[in-house]
Amino acid sequence: MAQILDGLKISGEIKLEIKTEVEKIIASGKRPPHLAAILVGENGASKAYVNSKVKDCAELGFKSSLIKFPETASETELLEKIGELNRNPEIDGFIVQLPLPKQIDQEKIIMAIDPKKDVDGFHPENFGKMALEMEAFLPATPFGILTLLERYHISTEGKHCVVIGRSRIVGKPMSILMSRKGFPGNSTVTLTHSHTEHLEKYTQDADIVITALGNPYFLKGEMIKTGAVVIDVGISRVADDSEKGYRLAGDVDFESCAEKASWITPVPGGVGPMTRAMLMKNTLLAYHSEKR
Ligand code: GUN
């Protein structure tokens, strides 16, 4: 039976470390770190994510600014706001919540963010630096997974790590990070995706499986090997008859995988809270870095 990689517990520790540091900053007479978030439109999940980021800021003593645009916002309006945030010395970092409405070119928006304020680590400069093992903002979810592996002393060296999904936010950076030098890293990585044939051939050989698919209960116990480490990044809303009308479901069929795995992340309470904590960590790093 697998042991739990408790993201709630570890994120709590990290948040406490950050909060303590912010208290020291404020006690020394300096201003607190300041994170801004741009939210475009009415996507329910996006609203919930952004609200939780604002809440995290309040909890840790950060200043936050939430900038809302209607679904019909133009690319020009958004680019102007990004320019303002780039120039504002009181803003340490900011994020543009994705996805964006279809009239807006996501790449153009991401490219407009000052890499020094890109606390999501989505700008190609940060992505490139990450891949080249230079100092960079790491995307919050992969950064959270690395931190979880690190704090639980999960061995990654020489292990076969299979990543499912090649998104710019999770799968692709995760595959690069697990193959980087050092710990956590030094893994042999297979990056699988929707065109991979016989996926189970890879997952059954994996020492570490990281699923970022968005397909509820996709990974079954029969698809993994005994003793595998299973990291579930999926968070889908599955309709049920609860008050909310849905529940959160991971990519992993928890029961059958927990029987065989050595370690496993739950959903909720696994990767999700780690992602939130790492965005705060990146903002604190941005606060301390030289911006001009
Ligand atoms: N949409 C889903 N995840 C994320 C994230 O980590 N950052 C941003 N900006 N948008 C997202």
Side-chain angles (χ1 to χ4, degrees), residues 37-38 45-46 49-50 53 94-99 110 113 118-122 139-142 169-170 275 279:
I38 297 181
S46 289
Y49 287 141
V50 167
K53 289 166 189 175
F94 65 96
I95 65 136
V96 179
Q97 188 65 31
L98 304 178
I110 291 172
I113 300 172
D118 170 38
V119 286
D120 259 332
F122 290 172
T141 300
I169 298 181
V170 186
T275 297
L279 178 67

Side-chain angles (χ1 to χ4, degrees), residues 1-104:
M1 197 61 188
Q3 290 182 270
I4 299 292
L5 292 164
D6 188 343
L8 213 50
K9 174 168 165 263
I10 302 296
S11 67
E13 292 173 12
I14 289 163
K15 287 198 294 184
L16 186 60
E17 292 161 16
I18 297 171
K19 190 170 182 234
T20 307
E21 194 177 332
V22 174
E23 279 164 2
K24 281 191 196 142
I25 288 171
I26 292 168
S28 74
K30 298 202 191 87
R31 68 164 180 86
H34 187 171
L35 172 70
I38 297 181
L39 173 66
V40 186
E42 299 292 330
N43 180 308
S46 289
K47 274 192 196 167
Y49 287 141
V50 167
N51 287 336
S52 64
K53 289 166 189 175
V54 169
K55 213 172 114 222
D56 291 339
C57 283
E59 188 187 333
L60 302 190
F62 288 28
K63 192 171 171 193
S64 69
S65 298
L66 172 54
I67 301 143
K68 288 185 185 167
F69 282 93
E71 187 75 32
T72 52
S74 71
E75 206 172 85
T76 315
E77 282 175 278
L78 225 54
L79 290 171
E80 269 170 23
K81 179 53 75 179
I82 289 170
E84 258 174 53
L85 296 174
N86 284 341
R87 289 186 298 272
N88 185 344
E90 303 270 299
I91 303 274
D92 300 296
F94 65 96
I95 65 136
V96 179
Q97 188 65 31
L98 304 178
L100 292 166
K102 53 187 178 315
Q103 75 275 15
I104 294 166

Side-chain angles (χ1 to χ4, degrees), residues 265-277:
T265 61
V267 174
V271 173
M274 291 301 297
T275 297
R276 287 172 57 173

